[in-house]
Amino acid sequence: HFVFPWYKDLVPKTGGVDTPDWTLDDHLSLASSLAITKTILGSSTPQANVYFGNQVLTAAMARLLNISAAAIRSIYPKKFDFFCVVPLPYVSAAISEAKYCLDTLGGVGITTMTNHEGLYLGNSALDGFWSYVNSRTDKPIVYVHPTTPYLKVNGKYVEANPTLYSSGLVEFYFETARCYMDLSYSGVLTKYTNIRWIAAHVGGAFPGILDRMIKSLGTSMETTLKSIYSTRIFWDSAGPVYPSQVKGLLGYSIPKSQLLLGTDFPYAPAGSYAGAFAGLINDLTDFTQTDISNILRNNSVALFGKKLNL
């Protein structure tokens, strides 16, 4: 991720905890320490949704985040690429920004959140956006970042985290499950077949509910969706998902070629990555060295292809 000082001033809390400091030098230092040669930057929650209910300011924020990310890439074109932020739930504005960012600024994909102002991605109000994304010949990649759940009550947005704990500590993982359940039930995954998706944290809590959720849809739909989970959804492994959490996902025969590596820096501190990497490299007895190399680099290169400036 990237967090400019002006953004931290606007968003002092993220997921219920203090928004971290970030500098380009800190990011480059972390990348060097972990032998990371390419970072695809994406804005963390709340992305462009800083001013709920205000379409103009949300669209302006998306543009500012995108030109900021493009500026970083212009300084270090071999080290950085970036995902385009879009001002959902405002469909027309989101289409315009996606087109500008992908075609003019050169973003390698789109990033959304699990919900935008309380609307989950499978909501029919967003169909026009997915129709546009699906129509593009470059088969866009959509990275979905978890965020705080919201309800709209008497015209006001209210945080809907039902626990006493920060959303970033627990609720984000249920948000990811809620989002991919919604994308499955709503038909977005089966209708818009050109879109490839990246799910955060190897799906969060989604693998834990997958069978119970999917079997209610019937055998034919179960087969179709499980094929999509194994081919058009890629599972980002930011954080300590190895060696244990990932096994819940692999239990559904999702191939290792669908696993990608992320860091979540700076929201997860720099010192946490050595253990997460060790869990991948040292503790997975059923992963070959080739599997590990693919997760560290080759799977991402295969997914993004010529979109990346390598």
Side-chain angles (χ1 to χ4, degrees):
H1 298 299
F2 59 101
V3 188
F4 287 104
W6 58 264
Y7 191 77
K8 181 178 177 178
D9 287 343
L10 292 171
V11 187
K13 295 282 187 180
T14 302
V17 299
D18 291 341
T19 299
D21 293 317
W22 177 91
T23 68
L24 187 54
D25 285 343
D26 287 344
H27 193 112
L28 292 171
S29 177
L30 174 77
S32 176
S33 71
L34 297 175
I36 295 171
T37 58
K38 169 68 77 172
T39 297
I40 304 176
L41 293 169
S43 179
S44 184
T45 175
Q47 296 189 352
N49 295 94
V50 177
Y51 303 98
F52 272 40
N54 191 315
Q55 177 176 340
V56 173
L57 290 180
T58 303
M61 182 60 64
R63 177 62 56 91
L64 185 55
L65 287 168
N66 289 333
I67 62 176
S68 298
I72 295 172
R73 197 267 312 276
S74 71
I75 299 170
Y76 293 103
K78 294 296 185 181
K79 293 182 181 294
F80 292 101
D81 278 298
F82 68 97
F83 289 106
C84 298
V85 175
V86 290
L88 290 173
Y90 308 105
V91 169
S92 294
I95 291 172
S96 295
E97 186 60 27
K99 181 176 176 59
Y100 174 77
C101 186
L102 292 169
D103 296 341
T104 301
L105 296 181
V108 299
I110 294 167
T111 180
T112 73
M113 297 183 295
T114 45
N115 79 82
H116 289 261
E117 298 186 8
L119 286 185
Y120 286 86
L121 301 184
N123 193 295
S124 61
L126 306 182
D127 278 354
F129 179 72
W130 298 127
S131 179
Y132 164 74
V133 175
N134 190 68
S135 72
R136 291 183 58 95
T137 57
D138 54 353
K139 292 188 175 181
I141 299 160
V142 177
Y143 168 58
V144 182
H145 194 284
T147 190
T148 300
Y150 283 91
L151 294 173
K152 194 171 185 180
V153 181
N154 297 326
K156 295 182 179 181
Y157 294 96
V158 179
E159 285 195 21
N161 177 2
T163 75
L164 298 176
Y165 309 105
S166 66
S167 292
L169 179 64
V170 176
E171 184 60 27
F172 278 10
Y173 309 104
F174 294 102
E175 264 289 289
T176 295
R178 196 175 292 123
C179 174
Y180 281 91
M181 175 276 293
D182 180 53
L183 289 170
S184 300
Y185 275 166
S186 67
V188 167
L189 292 180
T190 53
K191 183 177 181 180
Y192 301 113
T193 57
N194 282 333
I195 302 174
R196 293 167 293 171
W197 305 82
I198 298 177
H201 312 122
V202 295
F206 186 60
I209 67 166
L210 198 156
D211 260 344
R212 183 174 295 274
M213 175 207 78
I214 204 171
K215 289 186 181 301
S216 66
L217 298 174
T219 302
S220 177
M221 186 56 69
E222 177 183 359
T223 301
T224 298
L225 285 170
K226 284 188 174 178
S227 174
I228 291 170
Y229 303 152
S230 295
T231 56
R232 288 199 288 111
I233 298 181
F234 294 78
W235 308 86
D236 167 57
S237 55
V241 302
Y242 298 105
S244 300
Q245 184 190 342
V246 72
K247 293 178 181 177
L249 185 69
L250 298 176
Y252 293 98
S253 300
I254 290 172
K256 297 167 187 173
S257 59
Q258 301 300 112
L259 298 176
L260 310 176
L261 183 72
T263 66
D264 218 9
F265 183 77
Y267 294 87
S272 67
Y273 297 111
F277 274 49
L280 168 61
I281 295 170
N282 301 323
D283 297 338
L284 284 166
T285 56
D286 52 345
F287 277 51
T288 67
Q289 186 57 53
T290 298
D291 292 331
I292 294 169
S293 297
N294 288 341
I295 293 168
L296 292 173
R297 176 181 172 86
N298 298 333
N299 291 348
S300 294
V301 172
L303 171 60
F304 287 94
K306 294 182 179 179
K307 297 176 187 291
L308 292 180
N309 186 5
L310 296 173

